[in-house]
Amino acid sequence: MTKSNSHDSELRARAEAVIPGGMYGHQSVRLLPDDYPQFFSAGRGARLWDADGHELLDFMCAYGPNLFGYGDAVIDAAYADQLTRGDTLTGPTGLMVELAETLTGMISHADWAMFCKNGADATLMALMIARAHTRRTTVILAKGAYHGAAPWCSMRPAGTTPEDKANQILCDYNDVASLEAAASAAGEDLAAIFAAPLKHDAFVDQVLPDPAYARRARELCDAVGALLVVDDVRAGFRIARDCSWSVVGVAPDLSTWGKCIANGHAISALVGADKARRAASAIYATGSFWFQAAPMAAALETLRRVRQTDYLEHINRLGHRLRDGLAELASAHRLGLRQSGPVTMPLFLFEDDPDLRRGFCWSSEMLKQGVYVHPWHNMFLCAAMTDVDIDQALEAADGAFQSLRTQIPHLAPVEKMRFLIS
Ligand SMILES: Cc1ncc(COP(=O)(O)O)c(C=O)c1O
């Protein structure tokens, strides 16, 4: 019996009329295989239900926010409890101080914390603080690195002006010579180097940070008094219980956090070292919902779990099982599968697959078997996953590789991904 997608189709048709493009941003399925659902109805633990009620083991984890499982009872109880007391008030609650104390206690380079809603709020504040601190303008960014959807860092030019991106110099991630050339072009005007904790750009293999690159970024900032910023919005707490660059022994001046810090509740953070404190209090930064108490209560419980449980070892162990199991299966099916990035944030790309036709076919086959994987964006593991889930994913992968193998000679070009090869 074929699966019905009638609710999803109906919602898409209605969305076409009232939502620009039918959907926008990273959750639009425009660049995913045609059978991927656009709409969902529920999430619990590591599982999602689409709008037509199909259950899916979810390796996207809401693009990161789901760290301890959808609908975690204890975190959500902390949230709900605070909601009954007060959430959006005329001023913050004491939870804000407690949360700042908690984060500065966990992130070794941090002496202070500010809270906002999205990762893009935090990265914009980091940019402003670096400019306020140095009274300079130029920032160095790695080509292709994502820091949010604000005009200064938007991946698409529509609606932005060249001035929005003025005073930026791009370098190649992990390329010390390119970083040095960027720093020398910036000269005495360098305000900040923005660093992704790893290269986790879409469509290409992920690359872990070279410690020499991270150290050089630190030195180049120190040489002229610029600030080093690590954007941990996506990778935060999936690599370390501290800033992700703690694993390469480099401490930034500022780091930005979001996504999983309250297990899906809306809060992000910017933390910084004492030297940037004055600039941090000088910029005008605020938002109507930035001081909400309920997400702070959820964050406190999430961070307690980060500190006090073996969640990181657990997702690392499951991630290694998944990586090893997939490598074995792909090779048994004589398929070249490249797996990159930390095992807790895996990305799968196939060899000989410039327009992703193999990746699309394999992902669709996984979906048919109830496993949601992404063909070109890094995925995420969450602590609610179990060995049984990894078994399910590997069993599905075996079938999906088999099916891909037989379909390869007949696979048509993926028209919507043609831009990758043109
Ligand atoms: C590294 C990084 N920085 C910043 C952002 C922006 O976060 P948000 O979408 O919450 O604004 C993202 C979002 O994916 C991200 O991955």
Side-chain angles (χ1 to χ4, degrees):
M1 208 174 72
T2 55
K3 291 200 304 189
S4 159
N5 292 321
S6 57
H7 284 98
D8 194 73
S9 306
E10 194 221 315
L11 284 167
R12 285 186 198 223
R14 284 166 51 198
E16 274 303 326
V18 291
I19 294 172
M23 191 50 57
Y24 50 89
H26 68 295
Q27 296 199 345
S28 161
V29 293
R30 196 173 54 85
L31 292 181
L32 284 176
D34 292 340
D35 52 356
Y36 267 51
Q38 176 63 78
F39 292 97
F40 295 87
S41 58
R44 177 80 27 204
R47 287 170 189 267
L48 271 179
W49 284 264
D50 70 17
D52 288 279
H54 305 120
E55 181 177 331
L56 298 163
L57 170 59
D58 173 29
F59 280 98
M60 278 318 282
C61 290
Y63 286 78
N66 174 12
L67 181 60
F68 287 107
Y70 292 116
D72 179 88
V74 181
I75 295 169
D76 287 2
Y79 177 87
D81 198 47
Q82 185 56 43
L83 211 49
T84 62
R85 272 195 280 264
D87 184 28
T88 311
L89 306 172
T90 300
T93 67
L95 294 177
M96 183 166 172
V97 182
E98 198 181 334
L99 187 54
E101 287 166 348
T102 299
L103 275 180
T104 54
M106 293 173 69
I107 301 167
S108 46
H109 75 86
D111 298 310
W112 52 261
M114 298 169 82
F115 301 102
C116 34
K117 282 289 141 187
N118 283 287
D121 302 329
T123 54
L124 178 60
M125 281 202 293
L127 177 72
M128 292 169 70
I129 289 170
R131 286 179 171 157
H133 174 76
T134 56
R135 297 174 193 270
R136 303 178 196 149
T137 53
T138 304
V139 292
I140 296 175
L141 309 164
K143 275 175 212 152
Y146 187 68
H147 298 295
W152 75 274
C153 55
S154 168
M155 298 305 257
R156 283 208 217 141
T160 70
T161 66
E163 292 76 18
D164 291 324
K165 289 181 185 251
N167 309 307
Q168 294 181 3
I169 301 178
L170 301 182
C171 73
D172 293 315
Y173 195 83
N174 266 351
D175 181 335
V176 171
S178 152
L179 182 64
E180 285 172 343
S184 117
E188 295 286 306
D189 191 49
L190 184 63
I193 296 178
F194 256 75
L198 66 142
K199 185 176 159 92
H200 50 26
D201 309 349
F203 307 113
V204 293
D205 296 315
Q206 298 186 85
V207 187
L208 299 179
D210 177 350
Y213 174 80
R215 281 196 298 269
R216 193 70 186 121
R218 181 68 273 173
E219 286 164 9
L220 291 167
C221 285
D222 290 343
V224 293
L227 297 188
L228 178 61
V229 185
V230 167
D231 179 0
D232 239 339
V233 168
R234 193 185 313 182
F237 298 135
R238 278 193 171 84
I239 291 175
R241 291 180 174 84
D242 193 344
C243 175
S244 294
W245 267 16
S246 62
V247 300
V248 289
V250 171
D253 302 302
L254 303 173
S255 62
T256 51
W257 300 76
K259 292 201 181 271
C260 75
I261 65 169
N263 203 46
H265 293 287
I267 184 165
S268 57
L270 167 68
V271 303
D274 261 333
K275 74 161 94 144
R277 190 189 289 263
R278 217 140 75 107
S281 48
I283 63 159
Y284 187 64
T286 192
S288 298
F289 302 105
W290 285 15
F291 304 88
Q292 283 178 327
M296 293 187 184
L300 283 167
E301 178 54 29
T302 304
L303 297 175
R304 187 196 62 73
R305 206 83 74 80
V306 166
R307 289 192 309 281
Q308 295 178 3
T309 70
D310 68 350
Y311 84 99
L312 191 55
E313 293 68 27
H314 175 70
I315 57 175
N316 263 298
R317 189 180 62 75
L318 294 184
H320 279 293
R321 266 203 69 205
L322 182 66
R323 183 159 294 183
D324 295 348
L326 286 175
E328 208 172 292
L329 288 168
S331 123
H333 289 281
R334 289 172 292 113
L335 287 162
L337 179 72
R338 296 198 310 272
Q339 304 188 67
S340 61
V343 294
T344 54
M345 296 173 58
L347 172 71
F348 313 139
L349 294 171
F350 285 84
E351 300 286 3
D352 308 318
D353 199 26
D355 69 354
L356 298 186
R357 66 184 77 175
R358 293 183 182 200
F360 268 44
C361 172
W362 185 74
S363 301
S364 288
E365 293 296 328
M366 292 292 277
L367 189 80
K368 280 188 200 139
Q369 298 179 70
V371 182
Y372 191 104
V373 292
H374 202 293
W376 50 259
H377 189 288
N378 77 268
M379 288 163 270
F380 302 86
L381 267 63
C382 74
M385 288 173 176
T386 64
D387 280 296
V388 174
D389 294 323
I390 301 302
D391 291 343
Q392 181 192 343
L394 292 175
E395 197 180 321
D398 195 12
F401 285 136
Q402 167 88 43
S403 183
L404 168 61
R405 187 80 246 162
T406 58
Q407 292 182 60
I408 282 177
H410 322 290
L411 287 178
V414 181
E415 287 306 326
K416 57 176 134 182
M417 302 312 282
R418 214 178 254 287
F419 70 94
L420 285 175
I421 43 182
S422 59

